Amino acid sequence: MSTVKPGAVLVEDRQPLRMNDAFRRFDGPEPRMRLLTFNERELEFMRLVCTEWTYKEIADRMYLSPRTIDGYRDALFEKLNVRTRVGLAMYAVRHGIVPLG
């Protein structure tokens, strides 16, 4: 098991599959791993995304404008290769950023 510094997550570097890839047998090397780091504001945003609060309520809670929250959301969607708030929440739970329970 790898040791990762606080605020960082080790993930597989997955590339989107093309249609032809589904029919090929994969004999290549193991998937590469990459280290993703998050600043405190990104981690706080991910924790708040896992609540039932709206983005407006999250912005108020973080003392930021809704446009700044939109920027955090879009940047994390790109960084984590997710497309929705649910995808972001699932990522946060799967990687221990937000504990279940």
Side-chain angles (χ1 to χ4, degrees):
M1 177 177 217
S2 300
T3 303
V4 179
K5 67 182 180 177
V9 177
L10 191 64
V11 296
E12 281 186 29
D13 189 13
R14 294 184 182 174
Q15 300 297 322
L17 291 177
R18 294 181 302 273
M19 188 59 159
N20 290 342
D21 293 339
F23 299 104
R24 261 190 234 142
R25 187 170 155 223
F26 182 75
D27 290 324
E30 291 295 315
R32 292 179 309 193
M33 299 298 280
R34 63 186 169 127
L35 184 66
L36 295 179
T37 58
F38 304 99
N39 63 43
E40 272 307 309
R41 297 300 263 178
E42 289 174 323
L43 292 170
E44 181 182 5
F45 175 73
M46 282 195 275
R47 288 182 196 108
L48 294 173
V49 160
C50 294
T51 67
E52 293 185 26
W53 294 352
T54 65
Y55 286 127
K56 168 76 169 95
E57 291 169 327
I58 292 171
D60 292 343
R61 171 76 180 237
M62 293 180 71
Y63 302 104
L64 298 171
S65 75
R67 288 185 62 135
T68 301
I69 292 299
D70 290 345
Y72 277 128
R73 181 196 62 222
D74 295 343
L76 285 169
F77 281 4
E78 179 76 21
K79 185 183 225 182
L80 304 176
N81 197 27
V82 298
R83 297 182 307 186
T84 65
R85 181 177 181 157
V86 171
L88 184 57
M90 289 173 59
Y91 182 93
V93 170
R94 283 184 182 149
H95 290 89
I97 295 166
V98 175
L100 283 178

